[in-house]
Amino acid sequence: MSRKTAEAKAVARKDITYAQWIRKEMRRNWVAYLMIAPYVIIFTLFTIVPVFLSAVISFTDFNMLQWPNFVGLENYINLFFADDVFLIACKNTLIFAVIVGPVSYLMSFLIAWFINELSPKIRSLVTLVFYAPSIAGQVYLIWGTLFASDSYGWINSILLETGMITTPIAFFQDADYVMPLCIVVALWTSLGTSFLSFIAGLQGVDRSLYEAGAVDGVKNRWQELWYITLPSMKPQLMFGAIMAITSSFGFGGVVTALAGFPSVDYSAHTIMHHLEDYGGQRYEIGYSSAIAVVLFLIMVGANMVVKKAISKVGS
């Protein structure tokens, strides 16, 4: 758009209100709105509406059998002051999020940065090797076999043969081992969609920017990374951050697959497990909705912090 055209539109908007200008633009671009209407309708019905309904139901005692009664903040009060298991779940979720989220995010970017330096043919092969664990259907079977609780487990077998232990260790039935092992498995499977987005972002950086940076005084690869590469791929960085936040706070499938539900002594019990317990097994929908709202607010807060941090990149 030329400068004169932009100025003409700005002058034209001064003669009408903002709402009138919006309606005028919508009429002018009605075909575009018609094309995105199916997605907007589906997203609204299956994402936005359920979020609002969950927030409303969290103030009731809905159990899917009886008409819900309004109970105010009772669910939230019980959640924070009478539910000891929820506090354990919050602690475990925070540990998972603080470790798995940032580590998987940095690991995905650093490996993508390394792969980006390879030749195209080798890059495709190495990308497949790193991406494969996140799409493997029986990925947990490998770790279940490695840390099986009997002498047939590979780790137990090695430790028994070397004389380091005399009896097999029940790794996933021991509270001291469950959390560390689940974190390791989560990191091993973390090179997923965000990893591919980082590779795509690195491939899309304009090579001429590096030449301009060299003229402006960029001296080494780290300065290139901070002042050129990262600012050029902020959309991919934000997408990867959202995926990391979602996976780290929604962590639960790995624990259930390896340690069962619930895990021994609730050693790896997360908010997602608590939500599944009350919503999917006890059918206390009002209480589970309160859990979902708390988790949603935590994730939104984490997203805002990460978004602000990413905005500082390159400054």
Side-chain angles (χ1 to χ4, degrees):
M1 182 187 296
S2 66
R3 182 178 177 182
K4 290 183 178 180
T5 303
E7 290 178 352
K9 285 193 173 184
V11 171
R13 282 184 56 186
K14 291 181 180 179
D15 299 331
I16 60 176
T17 64
Y18 182 73
Q20 291 173 334
W21 180 79
I22 289 292
R23 287 195 295 270
K24 179 181 177 181
E25 290 296 308
M26 290 180 67
R27 285 195 297 269
R28 188 169 66 88
N29 300 300
W30 68 271
V31 176
Y33 286 99
L34 182 64
M35 296 296 291
I36 66 172
Y39 171 79
V40 172
I41 294 172
I42 294 174
F43 182 78
T44 301
L45 289 177
F46 293 99
T47 302
I48 297 178
V49 172
V51 169
F52 281 103
L53 284 178
S54 180
V56 173
I57 293 174
S58 69
F59 296 102
T60 70
D61 60 355
F62 186 43
N63 59 9
M64 294 190 70
L65 296 175
Q66 299 171 318
W67 185 258
N69 298 309
F70 181 76
V71 295
L73 297 175
E74 182 178 336
N75 288 330
Y76 293 95
I77 293 173
N78 291 334
L79 199 61
F80 288 101
F81 298 102
D83 192 342
D84 294 336
V85 177
F86 176 73
L87 298 181
I88 295 174
C90 288
K91 182 195 70 174
N92 291 335
T93 302
L94 183 61
I95 292 173
F96 277 125
V98 168
I99 297 177
V100 175
V103 173
S104 65
Y105 185 77
L106 292 175
M107 187 170 63
S108 296
F109 178 79
L110 291 176
I111 294 176
W113 191 29
F114 164 74
I115 291 175
N116 187 60
E117 301 298 320
L118 303 176
S119 61
K121 291 184 179 179
I122 299 178
R123 184 191 306 139
S124 301
L125 177 61
V126 176
T127 300
L128 177 61
V129 170
F130 279 100
Y131 183 63
S134 66
I135 59 175
Q138 297 296 326
V139 63
Y140 303 129
L141 179 62
I142 299 173
W143 291 91
T145 304
L146 278 173
F147 293 95
S149 58
D150 52 29
S151 59
Y152 294 102
W154 295 353
I155 301 300
N156 272 326
S157 178
I158 294 173
L159 294 176
L160 287 169
E161 288 181 2
T162 56
M164 297 180 66
I165 59 174
T166 56
T167 57
I169 301 174
F171 289 101
F172 292 114
Q173 286 75 46
D174 191 325
D176 294 332
Y177 293 101
V178 172
M179 176 78 80
L181 287 176
C182 289
I183 289 175
V184 170
V185 177
L187 291 174
W188 187 63
T189 59
S190 63
L191 298 181
T193 308
S194 57
F195 166 66
L196 296 181
S197 71
F198 289 153
I199 294 179
L202 289 166
Q203 289 291 303
V205 177
D206 188 354
R207 312 310 296 181
S208 64
L209 294 176
Y210 295 110
E211 299 175 4
V215 173
D216 290 338
V218 174
K219 300 178 181 179
N220 52 55
R221 295 298 302 276
W222 294 107
Q223 289 183 346
E224 282 185 355
L225 176 66
W226 183 253
Y227 291 111
I228 299 175
T229 305
L230 293 180
S232 298
M233 53 180 297
K234 281 187 178 181
Q236 289 81 13
L237 293 177
M238 191 64 214
F239 174 77
I242 293 173
M243 295 300 295
I245 291 170
T246 303
S247 61
S248 59
F249 280 103
F251 193 81
V254 173
V255 177
T256 302
L258 296 176
F261 177 74
S263 56
V264 57
D265 295 335
Y266 297 104
S267 56
H269 194 73
T270 65
I271 296 178
M272 282 299 298
H273 287 119
H274 212 54
L275 176 60
E276 180 184 347
D277 183 16
Y278 280 91
Q281 297 186 20
R282 308 189 192 196
Y283 296 106
E284 297 183 20
I285 307 303
Y287 195 73
S288 64
S289 295
I291 299 173
V293 169
V294 171
L295 180 60
F296 175 76
L297 293 177
I298 292 174
M299 293 177 67
V300 169
N303 184 39
M304 293 174 63
V305 172
V306 170
K307 184 177 181 180
K308 188 173 183 179
I310 291 178
S311 67
K312 303 293 183 181
V313 171
S315 59

